[in-house]
Amino acid sequence: MQVLKPYLANIEHLTATSHIDDKKIYIHPKLKNLGCVSIVLIREAIAPVVFRNAEQEITDIECLDNLYVRAVPNKFKYIERGRGLQILRALGVGGKQAQNKTVLYKGQKISDAFDLNTLVFGDSANYDNRVLPVRAAINYSDALSIKPKEQVVDSTFHNRAMEDGTLFDAESKKNSDNLFTRHFIKPGTLMVQVLSTRGQVLPDIGLKHLLLSVGLAGSYGGQTSVTGVNIKTHIIGVYADQFEQAITSPYELLKVLQPHTDSDLVTIKATLHEVLQAKHATSLQGAEVQQWQHDLIKAFEQNGSLLEQEYQAAQPKVAALFNEWFS
């Protein structure tokens, strides 16, 4: 989208040169300039889904004098980052290494591991006794349930005892203790989340790659999900300005939605867009962005499309960024 270009990086100028002294120079990523783009999403549970940690049956957080379900960023980013790798592999322009296991041997080009997916989602690699870190161009926020936890979480009782359904184990001559309760987030639960970039570090092709990754992700709602596809993603809109706005925090958006927790999805989307649009210099409504995302998916499915050519043109430029940065 042309209106977003002033807030995005130029793929032709991803690096800059600085002087160490009057003779020596070094190459580094281009210095950040003003510009922030935020994609505001509603994540809808369409099947039972679990977001948990070692201490809690469902991860939550206290906010507005109540407990809300909290899905930490990696519950969604892990899946979408993995889909991004698959997109690059399908187009033959990256994804050469497994997710979260990026290792380079001595003398290997950095671009053999780092690619467009690295630029968008971040990564780190072990290389010649060094760790090479790349901060993500896109920051994932927490996803917060619009309704309090008590209204959106349920549980089921499980008995993994004898095949006949009784608790008595004839072999051990005692009752089974293999009983447990599983908590899950109910279908229909809505969660608000924001993906944002700062400082003109994301090029146009990177934004397209992000939208493709989100659109094709599924999604399975993180590593702790217990069913298949259980999350549907709705785009509220894309909002851009020179600076980040506090309203793009999901914790602030939760306050906006307090009078509308029993409203339908259409009302919730309209309410959020009205508030976000008023606080940003540039905005694109969700329907327009989802159509753009749909067109990207269709182009991805076509051999030799303009989108494929754009990916191919970007590959050497992104490779040069990482090779020059870390060499």
Side-chain angles (χ1 to χ4, degrees):
M1 293 284 184
Q2 292 296 321
V3 294
L4 297 176
K5 289 212 169 181
Y7 309 99
L8 299 172
N10 185 340
I11 190 70
E12 304 293 342
H13 302 287
L14 295 178
T15 61
T17 301
S18 293
H19 287 267
I20 298 174
D21 53 35
D22 60 344
K23 295 182 180 178
K24 296 180 181 178
I25 61 171
Y26 67 97
I27 298 173
H28 54 81
K30 188 177 179 182
L31 299 178
K32 294 180 181 179
N33 293 306
L34 291 178
C36 172
V37 176
S38 297
I39 305 172
V40 182
L41 308 173
I42 291 288
R43 306 285 196 172
E44 178 187 5
I46 58 174
V49 59
V50 176
F51 299 122
R52 62 168 297 173
N53 55 39
E55 292 79 32
Q56 298 170 290
E57 74 284 354
I58 293 291
T59 306
D60 59 33
I61 191 166
E62 187 172 353
C63 183
L64 303 177
D65 299 322
N66 216 326
L67 288 177
Y68 291 84
V69 171
R70 176 193 180 199
V72 297
N74 206 41
K75 299 300 182 182
F76 299 102
K77 183 178 178 179
Y78 179 84
I79 302 299
E80 290 163 2
R81 182 169 175 260
R83 186 66 80 223
L85 287 171
Q86 293 172 330
I87 291 169
L88 297 186
R89 290 169 192 154
L91 297 175
V93 292
K96 296 180 180 179
Q97 301 224 11
Q99 184 171 196
N100 295 342
K101 295 188 181 296
T102 309
V103 179
L104 288 157
Y105 56 79
K106 188 173 182 179
Q108 192 174 9
K109 287 184 178 180
I110 309 301
S111 58
D112 287 341
F114 289 167
D115 49 32
L116 181 62
N117 214 59
T118 307
L119 182 60
V120 175
F121 295 102
D123 201 355
S124 63
N126 295 318
Y127 178 70
D128 192 23
N129 298 321
R130 291 188 294 158
V131 176
L132 309 181
V134 179
R135 182 176 178 180
I138 286 292
N139 302 307
Y140 277 61
S141 77
D142 291 336
L144 300 178
S145 63
I146 292 172
K147 292 183 178 181
K149 177 182 177 182
E150 62 182 13
Q151 297 182 31
V152 299
V153 172
D154 206 344
S155 62
T156 53
F157 175 76
H158 295 260
N159 169 20
R160 287 185 179 169
M162 302 304 294
E163 290 183 3
D164 61 6
T166 66
L167 297 180
F168 185 72
D169 188 332
E171 182 178 354
S172 64
K173 307 298 183 185
K174 64 179 183 180
N175 286 336
S176 171
D177 58 1
N178 197 356
L179 309 171
F180 62 96
T181 299
R182 172 172 286 148
H183 294 79
F184 61 89
I185 299 164
K186 295 189 288 188
T189 299
L190 302 179
M191 294 165 280
V192 62
Q193 185 180 35
V194 181
L195 316 185
S196 59
T197 182
R198 296 173 301 187
Q200 296 187 28
V201 294
L202 184 73
D204 181 61
I205 185 61
L207 179 59
K208 293 177 181 177
H209 184 63
L210 175 67
L211 289 173
L212 264 179
S213 300
V214 171
L216 294 171
S219 164
Y220 290 81
Q223 297 152 292
T224 52
S225 73
V226 292
T227 67
V229 176
N230 49 28
I231 294 292
K232 184 176 182 180
T233 299
H234 305 273
I235 300 177
I236 301 299
V238 176
Y239 308 92
D241 212 323
Q242 287 190 315
F243 302 96
E244 288 180 293
Q245 304 296 326
I247 193 64
T248 54
S249 165
Y251 293 89
E252 291 296 308
L253 294 175
L254 194 60
K255 296 176 185 177
V256 172
L257 291 174
Q258 284 308 287
H260 307 281
T261 55
D262 292 323
S263 301
D264 59 20
L265 181 60
V266 173
T267 301
I268 288 172
K269 291 171 72 172
T271 300
L272 290 179
H273 178 71
E274 182 180 1
V275 172
L276 289 159
Q277 183 181 39
K279 294 288 187 178
H280 289 86
T282 300
S283 64
L284 298 170
Q285 198 160 12
E288 186 178 2
V289 181
Q290 291 204 262
Q291 182 59 52
W292 183 25
Q293 185 185 56
H294 176 76
D295 292 342
L296 289 172
I297 293 171
K298 288 297 182 184
F300 169 70
E301 294 170 346
Q302 298 172 0
N303 291 330
S305 67
L306 291 176
L307 178 66
E308 182 177 348
Q309 295 172 31
E310 193 173 351
Y311 267 97
Q312 291 170 345
Q315 181 187 20
K317 297 167 186 175
V318 174
L321 163 68
F322 293 121
N323 288 335
E324 294 175 351
W325 179 5
F326 290 114
S327 296

